[in-house]
Amino acid sequence: METVRKLSTRMADGREILWFDGPGHPPRDPADLVDRRDLPAVTPASQLRYDALAGEWVTIAAHRQDRTYQPPADQCPLCPSRDGRLTEIPAPGYEVVAFENRFPSFGSAPGAPPPETGPDAPVAAAGRCEVVCFTDDHATPFSRLPPERVRLVLEAWADRTADLGARPGVRYVFPFENRGAEIGVTLSHPHGQIYAYPYVPPFPQRMLAHVAAHRAATGENLFDVALAAERAGERVVVAGEHWTAFVPEAARWPVEVHLYPHRPTPDLPALDEEQRAEFPRIYLDVLRRLDALYDDELPYVAGWNQAPVRESDGRADARLHLRLHSIRRAPGKIKYLAGSESGAGAFISDVLPEAVAARLRGL
């Protein structure tokens, strides 16, 4: 891709905002990007508390109770600042922006990672949380973005992964998108988030431990083995030269699609030009099939699993992939995480993965 322009400015309360513009967009003047709001400083007070029985960290972020919740479209804080209304984006238009969340789960101050086993008292939740806005058009979902905009979003994800992963105390970077009221989104404007964790979250930690055990026993990388099996099987939804999207054999959710690059790749910054160029076509194809499944915009969570920052956390074994799932199991019906899932951590699916894959292929 031709040069992507990136510019960093500050918001009225000191938070950083980064402007990403694709080829052909004229350079932005920082003097035109001044946030004229009167905002108090952000003082997050998140804590990490250790669940010794589960062996997991839990973040307590009580200040997030006050965050903006489902405002009407004409009061959306992620729309551009226009017609005298000032928003989080101090410009009349933008392509892709990323900025520090005003209500973060993790504070921005760098710090030492928490100890490997929990302390007796809570510790500060160092790290960083960013919002990524995909478009300045409030009504255009990700699935309806043009391919060149999806490519720009991918470049922003890769840039932020590299930047955040280099910060002191950060051990795992997780870009994700929550879409739809049923998922629980607080703002309906097309956007995602990036969490820079001061620890490796439970799911990738367990997955990488299992992959490491498999390598020790067989010499093989389990991610590579699983991808090869899926590419040769009946659950493929969309396949390109460099990416394959499939419904996994043991899908937990009513609708679940995984998207892998064919070449073993640790994280978003490591994607080569061919992978980056093909990604928009494959991902948009997947998203549009999902929206056609029930003839409605499907609520979903889509998150990038990628390599941890540290080699000691299993970085060498990790493989970049995107996991997308929806809780909608039929028109007007959703899957709740009830007794078995919430209480015992054991998923029970009502849907046959092969049937979901066949239906998506046929759309």
Side-chain angles (χ1 to χ4, degrees):
M1 186 180 189
E2 297 178 40
T3 303
V4 172
R5 296 185 183 276
K6 183 179 78 168
L7 176 65
S8 173
T9 62
R10 292 285 170 179
M11 303 167 87
D13 52 12
R15 288 176 293 144
E16 184 179 24
I17 180 169
L18 297 122
W19 309 79
F20 294 89
D21 293 306
H25 194 283
R28 294 183 184 270
D29 185 347
D32 297 331
L33 307 173
V34 177
D35 186 355
R36 305 188 185 282
R37 297 174 297 171
D38 182 14
L39 296 178
V42 175
T43 55
S46 302
Q47 298 179 343
L48 290 180
R49 299 188 179 188
Y50 192 70
D51 182 338
L53 292 177
E56 297 177 359
W57 289 99
V58 176
T59 302
I60 308 297
H63 61 280
R64 286 174 54 79
Q65 285 278 33
D66 299 326
R67 66 189 186 275
T68 306
Y69 182 78
Q70 290 291 355
D74 61 357
Q75 297 179 32
C76 174
L78 303 184
C79 285
S81 293
R82 294 174 180 162
D83 303 322
R85 192 176 75 85
L86 303 180
T87 71
E88 291 278 75
I89 321 296
Y94 63 85
E95 293 197 308
V96 174
V97 296
F99 59 88
E100 292 181 76
N101 197 325
R102 183 163 177 79
F103 301 96
S105 298
F106 304 102
S108 296
E116 296 296 331
T117 57
D120 295 331
V123 297
R128 179 145 148 160
C129 295
E130 295 186 349
V131 176
V132 181
C133 295
F134 307 138
T135 172
D136 61 8
D137 185 346
H138 186 88
T140 300
F142 201 117
S143 60
R144 296 300 165 189
L145 294 176
E148 58 271 18
R149 178 59 56 84
V150 176
R151 174 64 188 271
L152 184 59
V153 172
L154 181 65
E155 297 295 334
W157 281 333
D159 176 275
R160 303 315 303 139
T161 295
D163 187 325
L164 295 170
R167 293 170 181 255
V170 171
R171 291 174 61 183
Y172 196 85
V173 181
F174 182 60
F176 64 95
E177 179 194 1
N178 297 332
R179 188 181 85 164
E182 292 160 294
I183 293 296
V185 296
T186 57
L187 298 173
S188 58
H189 192 104
H191 75 288
Q193 299 184 64
I194 304 177
Y195 277 17
Y197 294 91
Y199 58 89
V200 180
F203 177 69
Q205 185 180 59
R206 290 194 301 270
M207 186 166 54
L208 288 169
H210 188 56
V211 169
H214 184 85
R215 179 185 286 281
T218 67
E220 298 176 318
N221 185 291
L222 190 54
F223 284 115
D224 298 340
V225 172
L227 175 60
E230 292 290 3
R231 289 181 66 191
E234 60 181 315
R235 289 178 296 275
V236 171
V237 176
V238 178
E241 184 179 354
H242 304 285
W243 296 84
T244 292
F246 58 88
V247 177
E249 180 181 15
R252 291 168 167 80
W253 303 93
V255 181
E256 183 173 345
V257 176
H258 295 185
L259 178 60
Y260 275 71
H262 299 164
R263 179 179 64 83
T265 306
D267 53 20
L268 288 160
L271 290 170
D272 63 26
E273 174 57 30
E274 291 179 327
Q275 292 169 317
R276 295 179 190 224
E278 186 181 70
F279 172 77
R281 179 178 67 82
I282 299 294
Y283 192 40
L284 286 173
D285 190 331
V286 170
L287 292 179
R288 289 169 184 174
R289 289 172 190 269
L290 293 174
D291 282 351
L293 185 61
Y294 300 123
D295 196 25
D296 189 17
E297 290 186 5
L298 191 75
Y300 64 72
V301 176
W304 286 101
N305 280 258
Q306 50 186 343
V309 171
R310 292 180 177 181
E311 295 293 341
S312 60
D313 286 329
R315 180 175 174 82
D317 282 329
R319 296 290 186 264
L320 173 72
H321 62 284
L322 184 143
R323 292 177 173 236
L324 184 152
H325 72 264
S326 177
I327 60 176
R328 184 178 289 171
R329 60 183 178 87
K333 299 179 181 179
I334 64 174
K335 174 181 175 62
Y336 292 96
L337 297 190
S340 183
E341 292 87 359
S342 295
F347 273 74
I348 299 173
S349 177
D350 306 326
V351 181
L352 186 67
E354 290 76 13
V356 175
R359 187 171 178 190
L360 289 172
R361 278 197 307 274
L363 291 171

PDB file of all heavy atoms in Angstrom, residues 161-195:
ATOM      1  N   THR A 161      -0.647  -2.029  17.406  1.00  0.00           N
ATOM      2  CA  THR A 161      -0.084  -3.224  18.030  1.00  0.00           C
ATOM      3  C   THR A 161       1.404  -3.046  18.279  1.00  0.00           C
ATOM      4  O   THR A 161       1.915  -3.361  19.365  1.00  0.00           O
ATOM      5  CB  THR A 161      -0.321  -4.462  17.148  1.00  0.00           C
ATOM      6  OG1 THR A 161      -1.732  -4.720  17.073  1.00  0.00           O
ATOM      7  CG2 THR A 161       0.375  -5.689  17.714  1.00  0.00           C
ATOM      8  N   ALA A 162       2.125  -2.529  17.271  1.00  0.00           N
ATOM      9  CA  ALA A 162       3.562  -2.332  17.429  1.00  0.00           C
ATOM     10  C   ALA A 162       3.861  -1.280  18.492  1.00  0.00           C
ATOM     11  O   ALA A 162       4.749  -1.466  19.339  1.00  0.00           O
ATOM     12  CB  ALA A 162       4.180  -1.924  16.090  1.00  0.00           C
ATOM     13  N   ASP A 163       3.132  -0.180  18.474  1.00  0.00           N
ATOM     14  CA  ASP A 163       3.363   0.910  19.427  1.00  0.00           C
ATOM     15  C   ASP A 163       3.048   0.475  20.848  1.00  0.00           C
ATOM     16  O   ASP A 163       3.859   0.636  21.768  1.00  0.00           O
ATOM     17  CB  ASP A 163       2.513   2.113  19.035  1.00  0.00           C
ATOM     18  CG  ASP A 163       2.806   3.362  19.863  1.00  0.00           C
ATOM     19  OD1 ASP A 163       3.107   3.239  21.056  1.00  0.00           O
ATOM     20  OD2 ASP A 163       2.705   4.474  19.315  1.00  0.00           O
ATOM     21  N   LEU A 164       1.880  -0.087  21.045  1.00  0.00           N
ATOM     22  CA  LEU A 164       1.460  -0.466  22.392  1.00  0.00           C
ATOM     23  C   LEU A 164       2.309  -1.614  22.937  1.00  0.00           C
ATOM     24  O   LEU A 164       2.631  -1.652  24.129  1.00  0.00           O
ATOM     25  CB  LEU A 164      -0.015  -0.848  22.393  1.00  0.00           C
ATOM     26  CG  LEU A 164      -0.987   0.286  22.060  1.00  0.00           C
ATOM     27  CD1 LEU A 164      -2.394  -0.252  21.851  1.00  0.00           C
ATOM     28  CD2 LEU A 164      -0.981   1.347  23.146  1.00  0.00           C
ATOM     29  N   GLY A 165       2.677  -2.550  22.072  1.00  0.00           N
ATOM     30  CA  GLY A 165       3.489  -3.668  22.524  1.00  0.00           C
ATOM     31  C   GLY A 165       4.878  -3.260  22.969  1.00  0.00           C
ATOM     32  O   GLY A 165       5.531  -3.994  23.722  1.00  0.00           O
ATOM     33  N   ALA A 166       5.342  -2.095  22.531  1.00  0.00           N
ATOM     34  CA  ALA A 166       6.666  -1.615  22.919  1.00  0.00           C
ATOM     35  C   ALA A 166       6.655  -0.822  24.216  1.00  0.00           C
ATOM     36  O   ALA A 166       7.718  -0.435  24.716  1.00  0.00           O
ATOM     37  CB  ALA A 166       7.247  -0.753  21.794  1.00  0.00           C
ATOM     38  N   ARG A 167       5.488  -0.591  24.780  1.00  0.00           N
ATOM     39  CA  ARG A 167       5.393   0.218  25.994  1.00  0.00           C
ATOM     40  C   ARG A 167       5.717  -0.608  27.235  1.00  0.00           C
ATOM     41  O   ARG A 167       5.360  -1.795  27.305  1.00  0.00           O
ATOM     42  CB  ARG A 167       3.997   0.835  26.118  1.00  0.00           C
ATOM     43  CG  ARG A 167       3.722   1.863  25.038  1.00  0.00           C
ATOM     44  CD  ARG A 167       2.273   2.312  25.003  1.00  0.00           C
ATOM     45  NE  ARG A 167       2.076   3.272  23.933  1.00  0.00           N
ATOM     46  CZ  ARG A 167       1.919   4.590  24.128  1.00  0.00           C
ATOM     47  NH1 ARG A 167       1.888   5.086  25.347  1.00  0.00           N
ATOM     48  NH2 ARG A 167       1.771   5.397  23.098  1.00  0.00           N
ATOM     49  N   PRO A 168       6.370   0.009  28.218  1.00  0.00           N
ATOM     50  CA  PRO A 168       6.719  -0.721  29.440  1.00  0.00           C
ATOM     51  C   PRO A 168       5.475  -1.287  30.120  1.00  0.00           C
ATOM     52  O   PRO A 168       4.460  -0.618  30.241  1.00  0.00           O
ATOM     53  CB  PRO A 168       7.384   0.355  30.312  1.00  0.00           C
ATOM     54  CG  PRO A 168       7.859   1.401  29.360  1.00  0.00           C
ATOM     55  CD  PRO A 168       6.860   1.406  28.245  1.00  0.00           C
ATOM     56  N   GLY A 169       5.564  -2.529  30.536  1.00  0.00           N
ATOM     57  CA  GLY A 169       4.487  -3.141  31.292  1.00  0.00           C
ATOM     58  C   GLY A 169       3.433  -3.833  30.464  1.00  0.00           C
ATOM     59  O   GLY A 169       2.604  -4.559  31.010  1.00  0.00           O
ATOM     60  N   VAL A 170       3.405  -3.634  29.136  1.00  0.00           N
ATOM     61  CA  VAL A 170       2.391  -4.257  28.292  1.00  0.00           C
ATOM     62  C   VAL A 170       2.870  -5.645  27.871  1.00  0.00           C
ATOM     63  O   VAL A 170       3.990  -5.811  27.393  1.00  0.00           O
ATOM     64  CB  VAL A 170       2.089  -3.400  27.052  1.00  0.00           C
ATOM     65  CG1 VAL A 170       1.206  -4.159  26.067  1.00  0.00           C
ATOM     66  CG2 VAL A 170       1.425  -2.100  27.465  1.00  0.00           C
ATOM     67  N   ARG A 171       1.980  -6.647  28.012  1.00  0.00           N
ATOM     68  CA  ARG A 171       2.339  -8.019  27.659  1.00  0.00           C
ATOM     69  C   ARG A 171       1.460  -8.607  26.560  1.00  0.00           C
ATOM     70  O   ARG A 171       1.833  -9.616  25.963  1.00  0.00           O
ATOM     71  CB  ARG A 171       2.285  -8.911  28.905  1.00  0.00           C
ATOM     72  CG  ARG A 171       3.385  -8.607  29.904  1.00  0.00           C
ATOM     73  CD  ARG A 171       3.245  -9.398  31.195  1.00  0.00           C
ATOM     74  NE  ARG A 171       3.304 -10.840  31.004  1.00  0.00           N
ATOM     75  CZ  ARG A 171       3.143 -11.713  31.993  1.00  0.00           C
ATOM     76  NH1 ARG A 171       2.912 -11.298  33.221  1.00  0.00           N
ATOM     77  NH2 ARG A 171       3.218 -13.008  31.745  1.00  0.00           N
ATOM     78  N   TYR A 172       0.302  -8.003  26.308  1.00  0.00           N
ATOM     79  CA  TYR A 172      -0.590  -8.562  25.280  1.00  0.00           C
ATOM     80  C   TYR A 172      -1.440  -7.440  24.707  1.00  0.00           C
ATOM     81  O   TYR A 172      -2.018  -6.649  25.454  1.00  0.00           O
ATOM     82  CB  TYR A 172      -1.489  -9.643  25.884  1.00  0.00           C
ATOM     83  CG  TYR A 172      -2.146 -10.529  24.846  1.00  0.00           C
ATOM     84  CD1 TYR A 172      -1.491 -11.633  24.332  1.00  0.00           C
ATOM     85  CD2 TYR A 172      -3.430 -10.249  24.379  1.00  0.00           C
ATOM     86  CE1 TYR A 172      -2.084 -12.446  23.381  1.00  0.00           C
ATOM     87  CE2 TYR A 172      -4.034 -11.054  23.426  1.00  0.00           C
ATOM     88  CZ  TYR A 172      -3.351 -12.157  22.933  1.00  0.00           C
ATOM     89  OH  TYR A 172      -3.944 -12.953  21.983  1.00  0.00           O
ATOM     90  N   VAL A 173      -1.544  -7.389  23.364  1.00  0.00           N
ATOM     91  CA  VAL A 173      -2.329  -6.360  22.678  1.00  0.00           C
ATOM     92  C   VAL A 173      -3.465  -7.043  21.930  1.00  0.00           C
ATOM     93  O   VAL A 173      -3.254  -7.964  21.135  1.00  0.00           O
ATOM     94  CB  VAL A 173      -1.457  -5.544  21.708  1.00  0.00           C
ATOM     95  CG1 VAL A 173      -2.297  -4.467  21.015  1.00  0.00           C
ATOM     96  CG2 VAL A 173      -0.275  -4.912  22.443  1.00  0.00           C
ATOM     97  N   PHE A 174      -4.695  -6.565  22.189  1.00  0.00           N
ATOM     98  CA  PHE A 174      -5.898  -7.230  21.673  1.00  0.00           C
ATOM     99  C   PHE A 174      -6.818  -6.218  20.996  1.00  0.00           C
ATOM    100  O   PHE A 174      -7.589  -5.528  21.656  1.00  0.00           O
ATOM    101  CB  PHE A 174      -6.635  -7.915  22.823  1.00  0.00           C
ATOM    102  CG  PHE A 174      -7.869  -8.681  22.425  1.00  0.00           C
ATOM    103  CD1 PHE A 174      -7.805  -9.732  21.533  1.00  0.00           C
ATOM    104  CD2 PHE A 174      -9.110  -8.349  22.969  1.00  0.00           C
ATOM    105  CE1 PHE A 174      -8.946 -10.445  21.174  1.00  0.00           C
ATOM    106  CE2 PHE A 174     -10.254  -9.050  22.632  1.00  0.00           C
ATOM    107  CZ  PHE A 174     -10.169 -10.106  21.724  1.00  0.00           C
ATOM    108  N   PRO A 175      -6.772  -6.104  19.657  1.00  0.00           N
ATOM    109  CA  PRO A 175      -7.746  -5.277  18.936  1.00  0.00           C
ATOM    110  C   PRO A 175      -9.050  -6.054  18.747  1.00  0.00           C
ATOM    111  O   PRO A 175      -9.031  -7.235  18.404  1.00  0.00           O
ATOM    112  CB  PRO A 175      -7.066  -5.019  17.589  1.00  0.00           C
ATOM    113  CG  PRO A 175      -5.640  -5.485  17.750  1.00  0.00           C
ATOM    114  CD  PRO A 175      -5.685  -6.558  18.789  1.00  0.00           C
ATOM    115  N   PHE A 176     -10.174  -5.390  18.947  1.00  0.00           N
ATOM    116  CA  PHE A 176     -11.451  -6.083  18.803  1.00  0.00           C
ATOM    117  C   PHE A 176     -12.553  -5.101  18.441  1.00  0.00           C
ATOM    118  O   PHE A 176     -12.421  -3.896  18.627  1.00  0.00           O
ATOM    119  CB  PHE A 176     -11.818  -6.851  20.082  1.00  0.00           C
ATOM    120  CG  PHE A 176     -12.045  -5.986  21.300  1.00  0.00           C
ATOM    121  CD1 PHE A 176     -13.315  -5.573  21.657  1.00  0.00           C
ATOM    122  CD2 PHE A 176     -10.977  -5.593  22.100  1.00  0.00           C
ATOM    123  CE1 PHE A 176     -13.534  -4.789  22.785  1.00  0.00           C
ATOM    124  CE2 PHE A 176     -11.182  -4.801  23.227  1.00  0.00           C
ATOM    125  CZ  PHE A 176     -12.468  -4.404  23.570  1.00  0.00           C
ATOM    126  N   GLU A 177     -13.647  -5.669  17.920  1.00  0.00           N
ATOM    127  CA  GLU A 177     -14.846  -4.886  17.629  1.00  0.00           C
ATOM    128  C   GLU A 177     -16.044  -5.575  18.257  1.00  0.00           C
ATOM    129  O   GLU A 177     -16.245  -6.779  18.087  1.00  0.00           O
ATOM    130  CB  GLU A 177     -15.083  -4.772  16.121  1.00  0.00           C
ATOM    131  CG  GLU A 177     -16.345  -3.971  15.777  1.00  0.00           C
ATOM    132  CD  GLU A 177     -16.798  -4.102  14.331  1.00  0.00           C
ATOM    133  OE1 GLU A 177     -16.159  -4.839  13.558  1.00  0.00           O
ATOM    134  OE2 GLU A 177     -17.828  -3.471  13.985  1.00  0.00           O
ATOM    135  N   ASN A 178     -16.837  -4.821  19.008  1.00  0.00           N
ATOM    136  CA  ASN A 178     -18.146  -5.269  19.466  1.00  0.00           C
ATOM    137  C   ASN A 178     -19.196  -4.569  18.607  1.00  0.00           C
ATOM    138  O   ASN A 178     -19.161  -3.344  18.475  1.00  0.00           O
ATOM    139  CB  ASN A 178     -18.395  -4.882  20.924  1.00  0.00           C
ATOM    140  CG  ASN A 178     -17.418  -5.526  21.879  1.00  0.00           C
ATOM    141  OD1 ASN A 178     -16.897  -6.600  21.616  1.00  0.00           O
ATOM    142  ND2 ASN A 178     -17.166  -4.878  23.001  1.00  0.00           N
ATOM    143  N   ARG A 179     -20.135  -5.336  18.031  1.00  0.00           N
ATOM    144  CA  ARG A 179     -21.166  -4.701  17.204  1.00  0.00           C
ATOM    145  C   ARG A 179     -22.541  -5.196  17.622  1.00  0.00           C
ATOM    146  O   ARG A 179     -22.761  -6.400  17.775  1.00  0.00           O
ATOM    147  CB  ARG A 179     -20.958  -5.003  15.720  1.00  0.00           C
ATOM    148  CG  ARG A 179     -21.921  -4.192  14.842  1.00  0.00           C
ATOM    149  CD  ARG A 179     -21.749  -4.476  13.383  1.00  0.00           C
ATOM    150  NE  ARG A 179     -22.500  -5.650  12.959  1.00  0.00           N
ATOM    151  CZ  ARG A 179     -22.763  -5.938  11.670  1.00  0.00           C
ATOM    152  NH1 ARG A 179     -22.308  -5.153  10.709  1.00  0.00           N
ATOM    153  NH2 ARG A 179     -23.440  -7.025  11.356  1.00  0.00           N
ATOM    154  N   GLY A 180     -23.450  -4.252  17.814  1.00  0.00           N
ATOM    155  CA  GLY A 180     -24.843  -4.590  18.041  1.00  0.00           C
ATOM    156  C   GLY A 180     -25.292  -4.414  19.474  1.00  0.00           C
ATOM    157  O   GLY A 180     -24.554  -4.675  20.414  1.00  0.00           O
ATOM    158  N   ALA A 181     -26.540  -3.974  19.620  1.00  0.00           N
ATOM    159  CA  ALA A 181     -27.102  -3.748  20.946  1.00  0.00           C
ATOM    160  C   ALA A 181     -27.156  -5.035  21.762  1.00  0.00           C
ATOM    161  O   ALA A 181     -26.985  -5.022  22.980  1.00  0.00           O
ATOM    162  CB  ALA A 181     -28.496  -3.141  20.824  1.00  0.00           C
ATOM    163  N   GLU A 182     -27.372  -6.177  21.088  1.00  0.00           N
ATOM    164  CA  GLU A 182     -27.454  -7.444  21.806  1.00  0.00           C
ATOM    165  C   GLU A 182     -26.116  -7.833  22.433  1.00  0.00           C
ATOM    166  O   GLU A 182     -26.070  -8.554  23.421  1.00  0.00           O
ATOM    167  CB  GLU A 182     -27.917  -8.553  20.850  1.00  0.00           C
ATOM    168  CG  GLU A 182     -29.360  -8.390  20.390  1.00  0.00           C
ATOM    169  CD  GLU A 182     -29.635  -9.176  19.124  1.00  0.00           C
ATOM    170  OE1 GLU A 182     -29.048  -8.835  18.081  1.00  0.00           O
ATOM    171  OE2 GLU A 182     -30.429 -10.118  19.182  1.00  0.00           O
ATOM    172  N   ILE A 183     -25.034  -7.339  21.856  1.00  0.00           N
ATOM    173  CA  ILE A 183     -23.700  -7.590  22.417  1.00  0.00           C
ATOM    174  C   ILE A 183     -23.465  -6.715  23.645  1.00  0.00           C
ATOM    175  O   ILE A 183     -22.680  -7.055  24.524  1.00  0.00           O
ATOM    176  CB  ILE A 183     -22.622  -7.327  21.344  1.00  0.00           C
ATOM    177  CG1 ILE A 183     -22.728  -8.373  20.231  1.00  0.00           C
ATOM    178  CG2 ILE A 183     -21.212  -7.338  21.938  1.00  0.00           C
ATOM    179  CD1 ILE A 183     -22.460  -9.790  20.664  1.00  0.00           C
ATOM    180  N   GLY A 184     -24.151  -5.557  23.696  1.00  0.00           N
ATOM    181  CA  GLY A 184     -23.983  -4.651  24.825  1.00  0.00           C
ATOM    182  C   GLY A 184     -23.156  -3.421  24.521  1.00  0.00           C
ATOM    183  O   GLY A 184     -22.614  -2.791  25.438  1.00  0.00           O
ATOM    184  N   VAL A 185     -23.049  -3.061  23.229  1.00  0.00           N
ATOM    185  CA  VAL A 185     -22.258  -1.877  22.888  1.00  0.00           C
ATOM    186  C   VAL A 185     -22.883  -0.632  23.513  1.00  0.00           C
ATOM    187  O   VAL A 185     -24.105  -0.500  23.594  1.00  0.00           O
ATOM    188  CB  VAL A 185     -22.132  -1.684  21.370  1.00  0.00           C
ATOM    189  CG1 VAL A 185     -21.364  -2.828  20.751  1.00  0.00           C
ATOM    190  CG2 VAL A 185     -23.480  -1.535  20.713  1.00  0.00           C
ATOM    191  N   THR A 186     -22.042   0.287  23.958  1.00  0.00           N
ATOM    192  CA  THR A 186     -22.526   1.529  24.559  1.00  0.00           C
ATOM    193  C   THR A 186     -22.636   2.653  23.533  1.00  0.00           C
ATOM    194  O   THR A 186     -23.358   3.616  23.762  1.00  0.00           O
ATOM    195  CB  THR A 186     -21.597   1.968  25.699  1.00  0.00           C
ATOM    196  OG1 THR A 186     -20.265   2.122  25.202  1.00  0.00           O
ATOM    197  CG2 THR A 186     -21.581   0.928  26.817  1.00  0.00           C
ATOM    198  N   LEU A 187     -21.915   2.528  22.413  1.00  0.00           N
ATOM    199  CA  LEU A 187     -21.979   3.518  21.334  1.00  0.00           C
ATOM    200  C   LEU A 187     -22.177   2.775  20.023  1.00  0.00           C
ATOM    201  O   LEU A 187     -21.453   1.808  19.729  1.00  0.00           O
ATOM    202  CB  LEU A 187     -20.688   4.344  21.276  1.00  0.00           C
ATOM    203  CG  LEU A 187     -20.353   5.179  22.517  1.00  0.00           C
ATOM    204  CD1 LEU A 187     -18.970   5.806  22.373  1.00  0.00           C
ATOM    205  CD2 LEU A 187     -21.398   6.268  22.742  1.00  0.00           C
ATOM    206  N   SER A 188     -23.120   3.220  19.210  1.00  0.00           N
ATOM    207  CA  SER A 188     -23.447   2.492  17.987  1.00  0.00           C
ATOM    208  C   SER A 188     -22.611   2.930  16.793  1.00  0.00           C
ATOM    209  O   SER A 188     -22.667   2.288  15.733  1.00  0.00           O
ATOM    210  CB  SER A 188     -24.934   2.658  17.662  1.00  0.00           C
ATOM    211  OG  SER A 188     -25.278   4.028  17.512  1.00  0.00           O
ATOM    212  N   HIS A 189     -21.847   3.998  16.904  1.00  0.00           N
ATOM    213  CA  HIS A 189     -20.989   4.435  15.805  1.00  0.00           C
ATOM    214  C   HIS A 189     -20.001   3.318  15.463  1.00  0.00           C
ATOM    215  O   HIS A 189     -19.473   2.670  16.365  1.00  0.00           O
ATOM    216  CB  HIS A 189     -20.223   5.699  16.216  1.00  0.00           C
ATOM    217  CG  HIS A 189     -19.529   6.378  15.080  1.00  0.00           C
ATOM    218  ND1 HIS A 189     -20.003   7.519  14.499  1.00  0.00           N
ATOM    219  CD2 HIS A 189     -18.391   6.073  14.417  1.00  0.00           C
ATOM    220  CE1 HIS A 189     -19.188   7.911  13.535  1.00  0.00           C
ATOM    221  NE2 HIS A 189     -18.194   7.020  13.454  1.00  0.00           N
ATOM    222  N   PRO A 190     -19.717   3.071  14.179  1.00  0.00           N
ATOM    223  CA  PRO A 190     -18.792   1.993  13.812  1.00  0.00           C
ATOM    224  C   PRO A 190     -17.397   2.215  14.403  1.00  0.00           C
ATOM    225  O   PRO A 190     -16.669   3.132  14.006  1.00  0.00           O
ATOM    226  CB  PRO A 190     -18.753   2.060  12.280  1.00  0.00           C
ATOM    227  CG  PRO A 190     -20.024   2.743  11.896  1.00  0.00           C
ATOM    228  CD  PRO A 190     -20.299   3.728  12.985  1.00  0.00           C
ATOM    229  N   HIS A 191     -17.045   1.379  15.350  1.00  0.00           N
ATOM    230  CA  HIS A 191     -15.760   1.538  16.019  1.00  0.00           C
ATOM    231  C   HIS A 191     -15.366   0.225  16.684  1.00  0.00           C
ATOM    232  O   HIS A 191     -16.169  -0.689  16.842  1.00  0.00           O
ATOM    233  CB  HIS A 191     -15.824   2.651  17.075  1.00  0.00           C
ATOM    234  CG  HIS A 191     -16.552   2.255  18.325  1.00  0.00           C
ATOM    235  ND1 HIS A 191     -17.928   2.092  18.382  1.00  0.00           N
ATOM    236  CD2 HIS A 191     -16.102   1.967  19.580  1.00  0.00           C
ATOM    237  CE1 HIS A 191     -18.291   1.745  19.602  1.00  0.00           C
ATOM    238  NE2 HIS A 191     -17.203   1.646  20.347  1.00  0.00           N
ATOM    239  N   GLY A 192     -14.119   0.138  17.060  1.00  0.00           N
ATOM    240  CA  GLY A 192     -13.605  -0.973  17.840  1.00  0.00           C
ATOM    241  C   GLY A 192     -12.744  -0.441  18.955  1.00  0.00           C
ATOM    242  O   GLY A 192     -12.685   0.772  19.194  1.00  0.00           O
ATOM    243  N   GLN A 193     -12.082  -1.345  19.625  1.00  0.00           N
ATOM    244  CA  GLN A 193     -11.201  -0.950  20.716  1.00  0.00           C
ATOM    245  C   GLN A 193      -9.913  -1.759  20.653  1.00  0.00           C
ATOM    246  O   GLN A 193      -9.835  -2.783  19.957  1.00  0.00           O
ATOM    247  CB  GLN A 193     -11.883  -1.169  22.066  1.00  0.00           C
ATOM    248  CG  GLN A 193     -13.161  -0.361  22.254  1.00  0.00           C
ATOM    249  CD  GLN A 193     -13.749  -0.529  23.637  1.00  0.00           C
ATOM    250  OE1 GLN A 193     -13.156  -0.155  24.644  1.00  0.00           O
ATOM    251  NE2 GLN A 193     -14.940  -1.117  23.695  1.00  0.00           N
ATOM    252  N   ILE A 194      -8.916  -1.303  21.372  1.00  0.00           N
ATOM    253  CA  ILE A 194      -7.668  -2.048  21.535  1.00  0.00           C
ATOM    254  C   ILE A 194      -7.313  -2.009  23.014  1.00  0.00           C
ATOM    255  O   ILE A 194      -7.230  -0.928  23.611  1.00  0.00           O
ATOM    256  CB  ILE A 194      -6.513  -1.443  20.714  1.00  0.00           C
ATOM    257  CG1 ILE A 194      -6.889  -1.359  19.229  1.00  0.00           C
ATOM    258  CG2 ILE A 194      -5.249  -2.271  20.891  1.00  0.00           C
ATOM    259  CD1 ILE A 194      -5.831  -0.708  18.364  1.00  0.00           C
ATOM    260  N   TYR A 195      -7.131  -3.186  23.598  1.00  0.00           N
ATOM    261  CA  TYR A 195      -6.689  -3.289  24.988  1.00  0.00           C
ATOM    262  C   TYR A 195      -5.229  -3.730  24.998  1.00  0.00           C
ATOM    263  O   TYR A 195      -4.881  -4.743  24.376  1.00  0.00           O
ATOM    264  CB  TYR A 195      -7.527  -4.321  25.743  1.00  0.00           C
ATOM    265  CG  TYR A 195      -8.853  -3.815  26.278  1.00  0.00           C
ATOM    266  CD1 TYR A 195      -9.421  -2.627  25.810  1.00  0.00           C
ATOM    267  CD2 TYR A 195      -9.546  -4.525  27.242  1.00  0.00           C
ATOM    268  CE1 TYR A 195     -10.624  -2.172  26.300  1.00  0.00           C
ATOM    269  CE2 TYR A 195     -10.761  -4.083  27.744  1.00  0.00           C
ATOM    270  CZ  TYR A 195     -11.308  -2.904  27.269  1.00  0.00           C
ATOM    271  OH  TYR A 195     -12.511  -2.460  27.757  1.00  0.00           O
TER     272      TYR A 195
END
